[in-house]
C-alpha cells in the first residue's frame, strides 16, 4: 500500500508540473501579443533625419519615429520605416543624379585626354602646314624671283587645298595635284616661249600629252602618292580622336532605364528607410547593380577596342614610312627639282610639243626666241635646320604621337571595366562582407556576380532588363565606331574612303556607297541585331559633322562660269582661270642658237633676281642672252 501510495503521489506531481509549464507558456505568448499590439514605442528616426538633412533636403520630410512602410514602392522594409513616399521619390531622383555624377567623374580623364590630344595634334599639324608654306615661299622667292611672284597663286592654291583637305574639305587629291602640275606646265611653257601666241586649244593639246612628255620627270608621280597617303593618315587620325571624344561624351550621358533607377535607389538610399543611413552596399551587390545599369555600355567595348587598335596602327604610320613631317618639309625641293627638270629638257620638250600640237603662231611684234627661265643658282638648297612646329605640342611629332599612343592604350576595355571602377573607387562599398548592405538588411550578399554585357543580365538578381531590346543610342555609337574603324584601316593602307548618300551628300567616314548599302554591309556581322540595324544610317549622318559642300577644282569651277550661245569654248573656259593672272610677255627674250637674230645677242646680267625680264633663274650650262 505504501509503495502504491508513493507512486500515485509522484504521478500527481508530474501532472501539476506540466500544467504549470503550459500556463507559463500561455502567459509569455500573451505578453508578446500585447507587445506586438503596439504597447512598445516605435524606434526613433533621429539618425535618419540628420543624414537626410545632410543631403540638403528638408528635415521636415522625415518622420520623428518609424511609420508604416505600406506606401513605399522600392524601399519597403518589413513592418515600419523612416521614409515617406515623398522621401522615396526624392531619393530616387537623387540616385539618378548620383549615377550621372559617377559616370562623369569616372570617364573624365579619358574624355579630357581625347579632347586635349585632338587639340594638340590638330594645332601641331596646321602649324606644320603653315611652316612648310612659309619655307616654300621663302625658298622660291630667293630661287625664282619674279617668276614666282607673278605665279605665286598656283603654289598658294596647292597649300590651300592641302589645308582644306586636312580640315575636312571634300578635296580630290588626285585631281588637285593634276590641276597643280597642269597649271604649272602651262605657265612655264608660255614663259619659256613667250615669243609665241598659244591658243586655248593649243594649251589643251599640251596638257593632253603631258603624261607622254613627262616635262617634270618622275617628280609628280612620286610626290602625289606620298603626300596623299601622309595627309590621309593625318586627317583620319585627327578625325579618329574627335570621334573617340564624341562617342565617349555621348555614351556617358545615356538615359537610365527604369529598372536601373530602381536598383540604384535600393542600393544607395534604402538603408535610410531601414534606419541605417551610414551603411554602404556590399561590393558584389554594387557590381551586379552597375553591370546591369551599364550592360549596354559594356557591349560597346568590343568595337571600342577595335577602334583603338586601328588608331594605334595609324599612329605608327604617322611616325613610320609616311612621316608627314619628313614628307612635307622638303616639298619645296621636290617641286623645284621638277621645274629644273623641265628647264633642262626645254628644247627637247619644245620640239616634241611642236610635233604633236603643231607650230604655234608668233606673237605680234615678237622676235622668234626661246627663253631660259632660271637664275644663276638653280640648284639652291635651303638650310638644313628648318623651323619645326613646336609651339602647339611643345615637342616633336614623334614625342606627341608617343603620348597619344599611351593614352589610347590606357583607354582599352574602359567600358567593360567601368562597373568595377565605380564600385571600387571612393569608398563606395563596405569592405566588411558581413556588415554591408545586401539590398534588404545588414549582412552578407549571397547571389553570384553576373558578367558584363546585355545578354549576361538575364539572371541578374538586381536589375531586370529585356535583353532582346538593346539601347538604340548605344547601337548608333557602336556603328559610328565601326565606320571610323573601317576608315582608319583604309587610311593605314593609304586609301581614303567616302560615304555618299543618294542625295550626293558626301560623308568622310565610309566607302562610297549609299546608306542602304552600308546598312546591308555593316549588319552582316551576327553581333548586330536587326533591331539595331537602322542605327547605321543615323550613325553615319551623325558622324558626318558639318562639312562644306564639295567645291569643284579651279578648272571645273571656271568652266561653269560661262554658258549660253556666247559662251567661250570648253578649252577657253578651262584656261580662263589658269591664264587670268599670267603676266604679260616680257619685252625681250632669248633665241635659240639657230635664230636668225642671234647676231644681236648680248649677255643677260645676273644681278638681283628681279632684274631678269623673265623673273626666272637660268641654268649655268646655258647662259641666257637677250636680243635687241
Amino acid at each position: 500500500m505504501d509503495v502504491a501510495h508513493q507512486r500515485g503521489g509522484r504521478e500527481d506531481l508530474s501532472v501539476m508540473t506540466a500544467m504549470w509549464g503550459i500556463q507559463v507558456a500561455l502567459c509569455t505568448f500573451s505578453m508578446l501579443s500585447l507587445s506586438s499590439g503596439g504597447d512598445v514605442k516605435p524606434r526613433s528616426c533621429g539618425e535618419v533625419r540628420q543624414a537626410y538633412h545632410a543631403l540638403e533636403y528638408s528635415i521636415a520630410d522625415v518622420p520623428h519615429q518609424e511609420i508604416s512602410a505600406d506606401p513605399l514602392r522600392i524601399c519597403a522594409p518589413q513592418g515600419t520605416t523612416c521614409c515617406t513616399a515623398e522621401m522615396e521619390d526624392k531619393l530616387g531622383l537623387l540616385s539618378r543624379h548620383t549615377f550621372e555624377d559617377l559616370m562623369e567623374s569616372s570617364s573624365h580623364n579619358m574624355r579630357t585626354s581625347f579632347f586635349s590630344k585632338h587639340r594638340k595634334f590638330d594645332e601641331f599639324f596646321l602649324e606644320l602646314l603653315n611652316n612648310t608654306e612659309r619655307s616654300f615661299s621663302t625658298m622660291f622667292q630667293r630661287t625664282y624671283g619674279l617668276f614666282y611672284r607673278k605665279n605665286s597663286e598656283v603654289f598658294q592654291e596647292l597649300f590651300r587645298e592641302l589645308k582644306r583637305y586636312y580640315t575636312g574639305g571634300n578635296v580630290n587629291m588626285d585631281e588637285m595635284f593634276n590641276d597643280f602640275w597642269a597649271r604649272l606646265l602651262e605657265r612655264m611653257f608660255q614663259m619659256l616661249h613667250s615669243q609665241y601666241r598659244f591658243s586655248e586649244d593649243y594649251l589643251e593639246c599640251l596638257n593632253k600629252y603631258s603624261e607622254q612628255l613627262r616635262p617634270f620627270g618622275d617628280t609628280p608621280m612620286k610626290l602625289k602618292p606620298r603626300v596623299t597617303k601622309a595627309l590621309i593618315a593625318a586627317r583620319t587620325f585627327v578625325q579618329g580622336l574627335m570621334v573617340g571624344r564624341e562617342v565617349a561624351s555621348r555614351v556617358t550621358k545615356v538615359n537610365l532605364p527604369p529598372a536601373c533607377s530602381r536598383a540604384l535607389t535600393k542600393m544607395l538610399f534604402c538603408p535610410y528607410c531601414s534606419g541605417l543611413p551610414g551603411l554602404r552596399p556590399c561590393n558584389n551587390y554594387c557590381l551586379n547593380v552597375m553591370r546591369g545599369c551599364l550592360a549596354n555600355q559594356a557591349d560597346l567595348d568590343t568595337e571600342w577596342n577595335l577602334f583603338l587598335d586601328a588608331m594605334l596602327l595609324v599612329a605608327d604610320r604617322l611616325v613610320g614610312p609616311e612621316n608627314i613631317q619628313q614628307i612635307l618639309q622638303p616639298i619645296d625641293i621636290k617641286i623645284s627639282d621638277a621645274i629644273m627638270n623641265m628647264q633642262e629638257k626645254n628644247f627637247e620638250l619644245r620640239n616634241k610639243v611642236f610635233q604633236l600640237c603643231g607650230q604655234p603662231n608668233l606673237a605680234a611684234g615678237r622676235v622668234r626666241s626661246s627663253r631660259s627661265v632660271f637664275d644663276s643658282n638653280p640648284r639652291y638648297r635651303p638650310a638644313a635646320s628648318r623651323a619645326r612646329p613646336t609651339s602647339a605640342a611643345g615637342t616633336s611629332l614623334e614625342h606627341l604621337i608617343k603620348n597619344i599612343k599611351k593614352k589610347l592604350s590606357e583607354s582599352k576595355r574602359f567600358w567593360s571595366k567601368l562597373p568595377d571602377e565605380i564600385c571600387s573607387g571612393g569608398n563606395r562599398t563596405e569592405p566588411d562582407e558581413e556588415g554591408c548592405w545586401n539590398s534588404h538588411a545588414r549582412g552578407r550578399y549571397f547571389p553570384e556576380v553576373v558578367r558584363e554585357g546585355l545578354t549576361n543580365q538575364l539572371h541578374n538578381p538586381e536589375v531586370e532588363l529585356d535583353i532582346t531590346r538593346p539601347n538604340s543610342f548605344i547601337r548608333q555609337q557602336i556603328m559610328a565606331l565601326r565606320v571610323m574603324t573601317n576608315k582608319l584601316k583604309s587610311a593605314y593602307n593609304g586609301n581614303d574612303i567616302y560615304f555618299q548618300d543618294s542625295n550626293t551628300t558626301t560623308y568622310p567616314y565610309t566607302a562610297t556607297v549609299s546608306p542602304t548599302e552600308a546598312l546591308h554591309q555593316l549588319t552582316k556581322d551576327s553581333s548586330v541585331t536587326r533591331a539595331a540595324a537602322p542605327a547605321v544610317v543615323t550613325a553615319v549622318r551623325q558622324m558626318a559633322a558639318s562639312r562644306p559642300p564639295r567645291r569643284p577644282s579651279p578648272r571645273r569651277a571656271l568652266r561653269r562660269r560661262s554658258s549660253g550661245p556666247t559662251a567661250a569654248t570648253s578649252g577657253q573656259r578651262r584656261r580662263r582661270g589658269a591664264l587670268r593672272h599670267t603676266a604679260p610677255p616680257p619685252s625681250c627674250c632669248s633665241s635659240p642658237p639657230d635664230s636668225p637674230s642671234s647676231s644681236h645677242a648680248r649677255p643677260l646680267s645676273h644681278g638681283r633676281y628681279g632684274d631678269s625680264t623673265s623673273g626666272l633663274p637660268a641654268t649655268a650650262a646655258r647662259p641666257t642672252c637677250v636680243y635687241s
Side-chain angles (χ1 to χ4, degrees):
M1 287 290 293
D2 292 337
V3 174
H5 181 74
Q6 292 176 359
R7 184 179 298 167
R10 285 196 296 269
E11 289 178 354
D12 292 341
L13 181 61
S14 298
V15 171
M16 292 177 63
T17 302
M19 293 180 64
W20 179 78
I22 292 173
Q23 291 177 355
V24 171
L26 290 173
C27 180
T28 303
F29 180 76
S30 298
M31 291 177 66
L32 291 173
S33 299
L34 289 172
S35 175
S36 63
D39 289 346
V40 178
K41 291 184 178 181
R43 290 179 299 176
S44 171
C45 295
E47 188 177 355
V48 176
R49 289 168 63 87
Q50 294 178 5
Y52 188 78
H53 183 65
L55 298 176
E56 298 183 358
Y57 288 119
S58 173
I59 198 172
D61 295 342
V62 188
H64 290 275
Q65 296 177 333
E66 290 183 335
I67 60 176
S68 173
D70 292 341
L72 303 185
R73 295 171 299 171
I74 301 174
C75 304
Q78 295 180 356
T80 58
T81 179
C82 284
C83 287
T84 63
E86 181 182 2
M87 287 176 61
E88 188 181 52
D89 291 339
K90 290 182 178 180
L91 292 174
L93 183 61
L94 180 60
S95 68
R96 295 178 66 89
H97 293 161
T98 302
F99 180 79
E100 291 170 359
D101 291 341
L102 289 173
M103 290 289 290
E104 185 77 15
S105 60
S106 300
S107 62
H108 176 75
N109 289 338
M110 192 256 296
R111 289 183 292 106
T112 55
S113 176
F114 269 97
F115 177 80
S116 63
K117 299 308 177 186
H118 172 269
R119 177 178 52 81
K120 284 186 178 181
F121 184 86
D122 191 48
E123 290 178 355
F124 185 97
F125 195 81
L126 287 173
E127 188 173 350
L128 173 63
L129 287 173
N130 290 331
N131 284 355
T132 302
E133 183 177 12
R134 284 193 294 268
S135 176
F136 185 99
S137 178
T138 300
M139 184 268 206
F140 266 57
Q141 286 191 46
R142 293 179 59 184
T143 308
Y144 300 105
L146 186 60
F147 169 76
Y148 174 72
R149 290 193 291 273
K150 287 182 176 180
N151 300 279
S152 60
E153 81 281 352
V154 176
F155 306 99
Q156 292 169 357
E157 178 68 16
L158 171 66
F159 284 98
R160 276 196 298 269
E161 292 297 285
L162 292 177
K163 292 175 187 176
R164 195 165 71 88
Y165 174 83
Y166 168 74
T167 55
N170 194 4
V171 178
N172 185 309
M173 295 292 284
D174 282 345
E175 182 179 300
M176 185 269 293
F177 271 108
N178 291 341
D179 281 349
F180 167 73
W181 292 113
R183 294 179 69 186
L184 184 59
L185 171 62
E186 293 162 358
R187 298 291 183 94
M188 286 191 62
F189 195 80
Q190 290 180 96
M191 188 69 74
L192 285 165
H193 308 288
S194 57
Q195 72 275 22
Y196 293 105
R197 181 174 58 83
F198 297 101
S199 65
E200 306 297 331
D201 291 336
Y202 198 96
L203 294 173
E204 284 275 10
C205 179
L206 173 65
N207 274 308
K208 177 182 177 181
Y209 292 105
S210 59
E211 291 187 9
Q212 175 182 337
L213 297 170
R214 298 184 63 186
F216 300 112
D218 59 358
T219 298
M221 184 174 58
K222 290 182 178 180
L223 186 63
K224 178 171 67 175
R226 294 195 70 211
V227 174
T228 299
K229 288 181 178 180
L231 277 174
I232 288 172
R235 184 173 89 156
T236 309
F237 189 73
V238 78
Q239 287 175 352
L241 291 173
M242 179 182 66
V243 169
R245 179 193 69 188
E246 292 180 351
V247 168
S249 297
R250 290 167 182 164
V251 171
T252 55
K253 294 178 174 60
V254 174
N255 292 329
L256 290 177
C260 175
S261 182
R262 289 192 296 269
L264 287 169
T265 303
K266 191 174 184 180
M267 181 182 75
L268 297 174
F269 298 110
C270 280
Y272 285 66
C273 300
S274 296
L276 304 169
L279 190 60
R280 291 175 293 181
C282 303
N283 185 69
N284 287 351
Y285 175 35
C286 177
L287 287 175
N288 273 342
V289 172
M290 289 302 170
R291 289 183 180 181
C293 290
L294 297 172
N296 285 283
Q297 284 86 339
D299 285 344
L300 187 79
D301 212 48
T302 299
E303 204 63 46
W304 177 260
N305 293 335
L306 292 175
F307 160 72
L308 294 178
D309 288 338
M311 287 288 291
L312 292 171
L313 282 176
V314 177
D316 290 335
R317 175 74 73 189
L318 286 171
V319 292
E322 304 302 327
N323 187 325
I324 187 64
Q325 202 168 22
Q326 297 178 6
I327 290 174
L328 281 181
Q329 286 184 340
I331 195 173
D332 50 1
I333 298 175
K334 300 297 183 182
I335 295 177
S336 178
D337 285 343
I339 294 175
M340 301 294 180
N341 186 79
M342 181 173 175
Q343 161 66 8
E344 292 169 355
K345 295 169 38 177
N346 178 37
F347 295 107
E348 177 185 354
L349 176 65
R350 181 197 63 181
N351 293 334
K352 288 183 179 180
V353 171
F354 287 1
Q355 290 176 3
L356 293 169
C357 300
Q359 183 78 18
N361 297 324
L362 286 171
R366 300 294 179 190
V367 180
R368 288 191 60 195
S369 63
S370 180
R371 303 177 57 86
S372 175
V373 295
F374 297 98
D375 238 333
S376 59
N377 189 17
R379 294 297 176 183
Y380 164 78
R381 290 292 184 272
S385 60
R386 291 172 175 264
R388 291 180 178 269
T390 58
S391 60
T395 183
S396 66
L397 176 63
E398 289 78 6
H399 191 66
L400 175 61
I401 294 298
K402 181 180 178 180
N403 288 338
I404 294 176
K405 288 176 62 178
K406 179 182 177 182
K407 294 297 183 181
L408 293 174
S409 299
E410 292 174 353
S411 301
K412 282 191 174 183
R413 298 194 67 244
F414 174 83
W415 304 106
S416 60
K417 294 188 297 184
L418 188 55
D420 300 76
E421 293 289 335
I422 291 176
C423 291
S424 62
N427 296 321
R428 299 186 184 105
T429 58
E430 177 60 52
D432 182 5
E433 294 183 0
E434 300 293 341
C436 55
W437 175 253
N438 62 10
S439 78
H440 58 276
R442 186 197 302 268
R444 179 181 290 271
Y445 182 78
F446 290 100
E448 294 183 358
V449 178
V450 298
R451 299 180 63 184
E452 305 89 352
L454 183 61
T455 57
N456 293 317
Q457 306 311 307
L458 180 63
H459 303 294
N460 192 325
E462 308 304 334
V463 186
E464 296 180 4
L465 296 175
D466 185 355
I467 64 172
T468 65
R469 300 183 63 184
N471 185 288
S472 60
F473 186 77
I474 295 291
R475 298 297 147 173
Q476 289 177 14
Q477 307 315 308
I478 291 176
M479 295 300 173
L481 288 174
R482 183 169 299 174
V483 167
M484 193 65 230
T485 300
N486 290 336
K487 183 172 177 63
L488 287 163
K489 290 179 179 178
S490 294
Y492 178 76
N493 295 320
N495 301 317
D496 199 6
I497 49 180
Y498 288 86
F499 200 135
Q500 189 162 2
D501 199 350
S502 56
N503 63 0
T504 68
T505 302
T506 303
Y507 303 95
Y509 292 99
T510 59
T512 308
V513 295
S514 69
T516 304
E517 293 169 342
L519 173 65
H520 174 69
Q521 294 175 8
L522 292 175
T523 53
K524 287 181 180 178
D525 190 344
S526 59
S527 64
V528 182
T529 64
R530 292 183 63 85
V536 177
V537 178
T538 305
V540 173
R541 288 196 169 97
Q542 204 174 53
M543 294 308 304
S546 57
R547 290 166 47 86
R550 178 178 178 122
R551 190 181 77 176
S553 67
R555 289 185 186 287
R556 285 189 289 184
L558 289 164
R559 288 181 192 176
R560 297 171 185 171
R561 291 179 184 174
S562 301
S563 60
T566 60
T569 64
S570 60
Q572 290 171 333
R573 291 197 302 270
R574 185 184 63 80
R575 290 296 315 137
R576 189 167 294 162
L579 295 178
R580 182 173 47 176
H581 301 291
T582 303
S587 58
C588 57
C589 50
S590 57
S591 292
D594 57 350
S595 172
S597 58
S598 59
S599 59
H600 303 285
R602 58 181 176 84
L604 172 66
S605 172
H606 293 296
R608 301 179 64 181
Y609 299 127
D611 293 341
S612 168
T613 55
S614 68
L616 293 173
T619 59
R622 290 188 294 274
T624 303
C625 294
V626 293
Y627 299 86
S628 55

